């Protein structure tokens, strides 16, 4: 795949609504910024090749390059990507639901939160970029303490450009930054970590990358309008969960744990499907292929996570977390593995088909645009 | 300039057209002059202002000079003086007459008392305007007499005589000039300065229809209108013998050029260049409304081809054709054949064996002269080539250069180094782009009109007339009910605010329109030469006077108002974000920072600015020369060899804003 520039990014991805708001293109320069949950283009940049285009997972992921740089292995056909081991996992005895404070609630096994706490404790990372929330509205943050990590617990269903925050931290000179993100965010991160424009003084500031399983994300504006129509106050939503099939509805919990009026509201999945970002349709990655550890739900047990350990670094972190009682792991059944692989394969096939129909697999998609210089008011081009 | 009052009668001096007009007004003995800054008219009031204060009233005139808040008020101020028996002058550029038009119409009907002259300076080709409006049609529309000086001597003489004419008719007189006359210079022989001996007193107790003693008003309208028309007939009669209508050429020219204003000089230039003096006659009209019909028709009878040379609209062309159509020349079977080179004899209507052939009229209506743009000798040459069958491609011996092949880099016009508008537009542009709802900015008139250009980041999306940005925004801000969710921003300057932005602001607040007004307060009327306005504590002469606080006015009207320094990009952007995130009501943000060329700022410097070339990443991904390519202050230069930015130490004025936009913090400031 070709590394092109901001014009191609703008024209082929942003203008065509293929952006899934990972944020990897944003805050690397003055021209592409993340602001209030959206990607904004400021002024005009005429560079022929740019990190924005290279980072974007939709312009094309150099799978060969990412595989070799992250895993030191060639590309694999396995729909679950490269991994060293797969487990069931949940938070260990040290942090239980009872001991958890009045902060956010864990999703499933709560493994992501405890892994980040473990990484901070063992000094693998100095800070972590997580996505907290106000009610249902996601809010990327930099955290450095276990309490702040716990404040970000729970899954976010609305897309938000968290990677832009990572870019800001990296350009400040931060090192050993931990990141938790969706597959597109992990792909964007992986792209950037390969130093695509070959800067001579490039340093990878990533401490650990934890990816999430994901099938789709919601458009924030659309979802808020929908909730308003249902007279649900987004600020009061303390928890959202989408149970595995055959569930037909998502469950919103209004009011936090201490709230006497706490109640649950069901949202039909077919309503939610209409609010999914169009760009999610072309995403082939269900389990976050390009990171150190991937974490998601375990289909048959809502109290546990599926944990995919991909790199040696990820393995070290998991071992530490288990040792310190922060994380509990158990062997995963063959049935679960098969189910997971099938789901991942299906997503990949749907995405490739969608990409083909959007022209993203055509050779034209990799060619530079030749925009006509526009005339200014005084008549110059 | 001091020759304007110290020169002796009979002395000849080189002076600008506008200065000649000033001398003419002084010779007529004016006491009051009012105007609003506008190129190419501004020097008139400026020059008069510099002649005050009067320290020697026995030998030099005492004149009250005022930069009024807008042209309508300027005309009213001058009219008051005239009503009180003092000769007065009102000065403006063409769009200013549009602003003053309502009062002008009523003034023409009511009449004036002491001589009152309205000087209007047009800008054909829009050299310093965003329109090339035509003032002369106002004379016809408002039914007042009009004079057009054709050279510098006439600029003085006609201005002086206009007061006399005005008093004879009790009507305001329009004197129309253009850029090439107002701003060029020529020799002028001075007349006698008049120190007026008049005491201001407004008489109003007399008979209702008595022009000198009664109240001054327009009713009874039909009677007054008829008397106005009678005065115009009188004017036409006076004009018949005027020395300002000149003819040069053979008695029966092959082609008669009818021209006015500075076009006379272009016409003479071309006729001389091609040595056509024996074929072409030039009738220059100086009294152009109402037209002296006998003077014109007599000349028409001597020729079969007429070419009109004027700018911008075919005003004289149409008026002469109307005269011709109503004259006995047509009655005698002489038809005007009009267009495109068809001056064949006997091509008229059937007549009684007539012997007189038709006249071919050439000009803008026949497309021999372009309808838009400024006149120049080349346009006249092109027309003559067709009409007189001259050899094509003549260019009067001017060598035709190879300009197209010279590697001239495109240079857009832009803001000065240190201009607060550059910083303001940078912030507005950034905030609207970040907001991502396709918000836009309605522009207004001033230096900041350049916000429509790349130097202003093409921020302005509408641009019309004084105060119209706020008016449009008031309208846009009500369209939410029809589905519009784009944030609306309007900009206006401090002078523009007083001129005409207050009524639309009141309208918006009262009607609950939702928009953000950004007032770019640079402490003066900068574009036209830094004249004062009511927001400043000095008047036209420089005396201390009360100023009007813009922030307080906006608050009193009921708008949410804040002020900050546009050089502080972070605060400005935060305040702007707050404004556009607020979906209701009018928000006013005053960005206050003095103009780089203002008296208080000029020759001062806040910082020494340098680029640290180690930190600068130049055109690499992550910057791509945002300082020289986007911000483009003339003080920033791109060194093509080291591929780094640099500061031009001569042009940089040390405002320090560029340091805030560098993503690598490579621009270093040292406080002085």
């Amino acid at each position: 795949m070709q590394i092109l520039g901001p014009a191609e990014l703008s024209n082929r991805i942003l203008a065509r609504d293929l952006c899934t708001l990972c944020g990897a293109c944003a805050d690397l320069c003055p021209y592409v910024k993340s602001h209030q949950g959206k990607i904004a283009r400021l002024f005009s940049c005429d560079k022929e090749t740019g990190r924005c285009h290279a980072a974007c997972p939709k312009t094309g992921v150099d799978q060969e390059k990412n595989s070799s740089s992250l895993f030191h292995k060639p590309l694999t056909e396995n729909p679950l990507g490269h991994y060293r081991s797969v487990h069931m996992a949940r938070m260990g005895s040290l942090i239980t639901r009872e001991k958890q404070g009045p902060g956010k609630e864990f999703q499933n096994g709560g493994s992501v939160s405890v892994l980040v706490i473990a990484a901070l404790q063992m000094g693998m990372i100095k800070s972590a970029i997580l996505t907290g929330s106000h009610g249902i509205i996601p809010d990327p943050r930099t955290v450095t303490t276990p309490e702040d990590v716990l404040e970000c617990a729970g899954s976010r269903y609305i897309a938000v450009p968290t990677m832009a925050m990572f870019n800001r931290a990296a350009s400040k000179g931060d090192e050993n930054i931990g990141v938790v993100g969706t597959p597109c965010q992990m792909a964007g991160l992986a792209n950037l970590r390969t130093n695509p424009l070959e800067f001579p003084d490039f340093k990878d500031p990533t401490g650990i990358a934890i990816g999430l399983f994901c099938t789709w994300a919601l458009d924030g504006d659309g979802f808020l309008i929908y909730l308003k129509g249902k007279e649900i106050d987004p600020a009061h939503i303390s928890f959202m969960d989408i149970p595995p099939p055959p569930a037909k509805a998502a469950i919103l919990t209004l009011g936090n744990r201490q709230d006497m009026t706490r109640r649950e509201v069901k949202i039909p999945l077919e309503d939610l499907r209409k609010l999914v970002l169009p760009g999610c349709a072309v995403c082939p990655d269900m389990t976050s292929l390009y990171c150190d550890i991937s974490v998601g739900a375990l289909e048959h047990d809502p109290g546990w996570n599926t944990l995919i350990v991909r790199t040696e670094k990820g393995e070290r972190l998991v071992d530490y977390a288990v040792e310190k009682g922060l994380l509990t792991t158990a062997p995963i059944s063959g049935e679960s593995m098969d189910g997971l692989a099938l789901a991942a394969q299906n997503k990949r096939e749907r995405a490739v088909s969608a990409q083909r129909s959007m022209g993203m697999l055509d050779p034209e998609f990799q060619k530079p645009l030749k925009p006509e210089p526009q005339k200014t008011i005084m008549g110059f081009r | 300039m001091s020759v304007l009052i110290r020169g002796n009668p009979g002395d000849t001096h080189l002076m600008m057209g506008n200065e000649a007009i000033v001398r003419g007004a002084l010779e007529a003995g004016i006491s009051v002059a009012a105007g609003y800054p506008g190129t190419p008219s501004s020097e008139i009031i400026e020059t008069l202002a510099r002649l005050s204060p009067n320290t020697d009233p026995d030998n030099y005139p005492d004149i009250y000079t005022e930069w009024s808040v807008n042209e309508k008020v300027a005309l009213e101020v001058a009219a008051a003086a005239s009503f009180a028996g003092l000769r007065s002058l009102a000065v403006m550029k063409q769009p200013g007459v549009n602003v003053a038009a309502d009062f002008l119409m009523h003034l023409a009907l009511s009449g004036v008392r002491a001589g009152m002259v309205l000087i209007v300076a047009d800008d054909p080709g829009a050299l310093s305007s965003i329109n090339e409006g035509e003032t002369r049609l106002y004379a016809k529309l408002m039914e007042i007499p009009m004079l057009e000086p054709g050279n510098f001597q006439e600029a003085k003489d006609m201005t002086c005589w206009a007061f006399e004419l005005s008093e004879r008719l009790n009507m305001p007189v329009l004197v129309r000039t253009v850029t090439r006359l107002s701003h060029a210079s020529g020799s002028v022989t001075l007349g006698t300065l008049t120190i007026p001996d008049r005491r201001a007193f407004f008489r109003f107790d007399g008979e209702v229809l008595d022009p000198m003693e009664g109240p001054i008003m327009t009713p009874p309208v039909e009677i007054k209108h008829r008397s106005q028309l009678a005065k115009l007939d009188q004017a036409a009669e006076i004009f018949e013998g005027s020395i300002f209508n000149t003819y040069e050429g053979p008695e029966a020219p092959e082609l008669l050029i009818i021209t006015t204003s500075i076009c006379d000089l272009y016409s003479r230039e071309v006729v001389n260049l091609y040595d056509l003096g024996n074929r072409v006659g030039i009738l220059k009209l100086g009294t152009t409304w109402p037209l002296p019909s006998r003077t014109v028709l007599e000349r028409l009878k001597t020729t079969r081809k007429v070419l009109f040379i004027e700018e911008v609209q075919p005003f004289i062309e149409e008026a002469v054709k109307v005269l011709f159509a109503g004259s006995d020349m047509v009655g005698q079977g002489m038809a005007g054949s009009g267009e495109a080179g068809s001056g064949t004899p006997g091509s008229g209507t059937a007549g009684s064996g007539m012997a007189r052939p038709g006249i071919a009229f050439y000009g803008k209506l026949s497309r021999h002269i372009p309808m838009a743009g400024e006149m120049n000798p080349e346009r006249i040459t092109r027309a003559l080539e067709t009409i007189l069958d001259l050899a094509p491609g003549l260019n009067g011996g001017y060598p035709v250069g190879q300009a197209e092949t010279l590697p001239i880099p495109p240079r857009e016009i832009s803001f000065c180094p240190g201009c607060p508008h550059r910083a303001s537009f940078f912030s507005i542009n950034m905030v609207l782009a970040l907001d991502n709802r396709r918000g836009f900015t309605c522009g207004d008139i001033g230096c900041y009109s350049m916000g429509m250009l790349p130097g202003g980041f093409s921020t302005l999306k509408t641009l019309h007339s004084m105060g119209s940005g706020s008016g449009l925004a008031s309208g846009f801000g009500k369209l939410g009910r029809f589905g519009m969710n784009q944030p609306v921003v309007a900009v206006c300057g401090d002078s523009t605010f007083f001129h005409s932005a207050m009524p639309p602001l009141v309208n918006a607040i009262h009607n609950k329109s939702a928009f953000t007004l950004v007032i770019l307060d640079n402490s003066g009327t900068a574009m036209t030469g830094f004249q004062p306005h009511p927001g400043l504590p000095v008047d036209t002469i420089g005396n201390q006077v009360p100023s009007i606080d813009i922030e307080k006015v906006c608050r009193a009207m009921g708008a949410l108002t804040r002020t900050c320094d546009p050089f502080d990009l972070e605060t400005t952007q935060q305040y702007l974000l707050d404004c556009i995130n607020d979906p209701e009501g009018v928000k006013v943000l005053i960005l206050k920072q003095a103009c780089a060329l203002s008296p208080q700022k000029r020759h001062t410097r806040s910082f020494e600015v340098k680029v640290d070339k180690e930190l600068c990443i130049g055109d690499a991904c992550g910057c791509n020369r945002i300082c020289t390519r986007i911000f483009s202050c003339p003080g920033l230069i791109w060194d093509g060899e080291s591929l780094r930015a640099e500061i031009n130490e001569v042009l940089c004025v040390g405002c320090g804003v560029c340091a805030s936009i560098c993503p690598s913090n490579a621009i270093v400031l040292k406080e002085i």
Side-chain angles (χ1 to χ4, degrees), chain B residues 284-613:
Chain B
K284 178 199 86 72
L285 295 171
T287 61
T288 47
W289 193 263
L291 282 182
S293 55
R294 292 196 303 277
T295 308
V296 172
L297 291 172
E298 264 158 32
R299 282 292 154 204
L300 286 186
K301 285 176 183 160
T302 66
T303 187
R304 283 158 56 177
K305 289 186 183 178
V306 176
L307 172 62
F308 296 95
I309 303 291
E310 60 180 330
E311 54 190 2
V312 173
Q313 293 200 19
F315 177 67
I316 302 289
E317 187 171 338
E318 288 181 352
V320 168
K321 282 181 165 181
V322 165
L323 270 184
F324 175 80
S327 73
D328 58 355
M329 293 166 82
V330 170
Q332 283 172 16
M334 184 171 180
S337 51
E339 331 308 44
S342 58
T344 48
S347 60
T349 53
S352 38
M354 40 78 206
R356 304 188 75 177
I359 292 189
F361 290 108
Y362 304 98
K364 292 186 182 234
L365 297 176
S366 69
R367 300 291 190 263
H368 281 79
I369 303 280
M371 284 286 258
E374 212 192 356
M375 185 62 65
N376 56 49
E378 256 170 59
R379 289 183 168 196
I380 304 177
T381 308
R382 294 288 94 75
L384 290 181
E385 278 170 8
T386 322
I387 301 167
L388 292 182
D389 271 329
L390 298 177
L394 276 178
N395 49 41
Y398 298 140
V400 176
Q402 298 296 310
E404 308 91 71
T405 62
L406 289 176
I408 303 172
R411 289 200 174 92
E412 295 267 354
I413 61 177
S414 184
F415 298 106
C416 303
C419 175
H421 299 328
R422 177 179 286 107
S424 300
F425 283 124
F426 191 82
S427 291
I428 293 174
N429 214 287
M430 242 187 98
V431 167
L432 288 177
L434 278 177
D435 176 78
N436 235 334
R437 283 180 290 165
R438 312 262 296 177
F440 57 89
T441 307
C442 299
D444 216 302
I445 305 299
C447 274
Y448 56 93
S449 300
M450 292 198 287
M452 66 174 170
L453 301 173
F457 322 109
S458 308
T459 307
L460 303 184
K461 303 304 181 191
T462 73
L463 185 60
H464 296 82
S465 57
M466 298 285 292
S468 64
S470 303
L472 282 169
S474 178
F476 279 124
K478 289 303 293 179
L479 301 183
R481 70 200 285 162
F482 300 111
M484 182 185 238
N485 70 340
Q486 298 161 267
V488 181
V489 176
V491 288
C492 85
D494 42 336
S495 193
T496 314
F497 177 79
F498 291 111
H499 183 290
S500 46
M502 290 199 282
L505 191 56
V506 166
N507 186 65
I509 294 166
H510 176 73
N511 287 306
K512 296 173 80 169
S513 178
F515 79 93
T516 302
L517 174 62
V518 179
I519 300 181
L520 303 171
D521 185 352
N522 59 354
S523 307
T525 314
M527 185 61 142
T528 40
F530 226 82
Q531 293 83 14
H533 62 64
L536 300 178
V538 285
D539 69 2
T540 310
I541 320 292
N543 299 326
Q544 288 282 93
V545 288
S547 68
I548 294 157
D549 187 322
I550 295 178
E551 189 171 346
K552 290 197 181 133
V553 169
C554 293
R555 284 230 170 84
M557 287 184 187
L560 248 72
T561 309
R562 279 206 275 196
T563 303
C564 71
D565 177 4
F567 282 174
D568 177 358
L569 297 184
E570 203 180 311
T571 308
T572 302
Q573 285 163 21
Q574 188 50 59
Y575 282 10
L576 273 170
L577 260 176
D578 293 343
C579 287
I580 65 174
N581 278 335
D582 183 350
E584 285 180 2
V586 179
K587 282 79 61 181
V588 174
L589 178 62
I590 303 172
L591 297 182
K592 204 171 164 69
Q593 178 65 242
C595 165
L597 302 180
S598 64
Q600 67 257 49
K601 253 308 185 55
R602 254 195 133 111
H603 308 306
T604 68
R605 189 178 267 273
S606 299
F607 300 103
E608 269 213 26
V609 187
K610 278 202 157 31
V611 174
D612 181 339
K613 294 208 171 178

Side-chain angles (χ1 to χ4, degrees), chain B residues 122 127 152 178-185 262 266 311 374:
Chain B
D122 285 3
L127 302 167
F152 307 94
V178 295
T179 307
R180 302 295 184 186
L181 178 60
S182 281
H183 279 177
S185 298
I262 207 78
Y266 298 138
E311 54 190 2
E374 212 192 356

Side-chain angles (χ1 to χ4, degrees), chain A residues 96-105 150-151 257-258:
Chain A
T96 60
R97 285 205 148 82
E98 290 71 39
K99 284 193 189 160
Q100 191 188 355
K104 293 288 192 279
E105 291 189 40
L150 292 176
E151 273 300 307
R257 277 194 303 278
Q258 277 76 11

Side-chain angles (χ1 to χ4, degrees), chain A residues 28-31 33-36 38-47 49-52 197 199 376-378 380, chain B residues 410-413 426 429-430 433-436 452-454 457 577 581 619-626 629-630 663:
Chain A
L28 292 165
C29 72
Y31 306 105
K33 294 276 187 206
S34 161
H35 177 76
Q36 290 181 354
K38 299 263 186 315
I39 304 296
R41 286 216 53 207
L42 274 53
F43 307 110
S44 77
C45 175
D46 59 358
K47 285 204 78 65
T49 60
R51 282 173 300 166
C52 51
L197 293 188
F199 287 174
T376 68
I377 291 172
M378 304 299 283
F380 295 116
Chain B
R411 289 200 174 92
E412 295 267 354
I413 61 177
F426 191 82
N429 214 287
M430 242 187 98
L434 278 177
D435 176 78
N436 235 334
M452 66 174 170
L453 301 173
F457 322 109
L577 260 176
N581 278 335
D619 60 354
C621 170
C623 177
N624 198 9
R625 296 178 43 200
I626 190 170
R629 194 178 60 89
I630 300 289

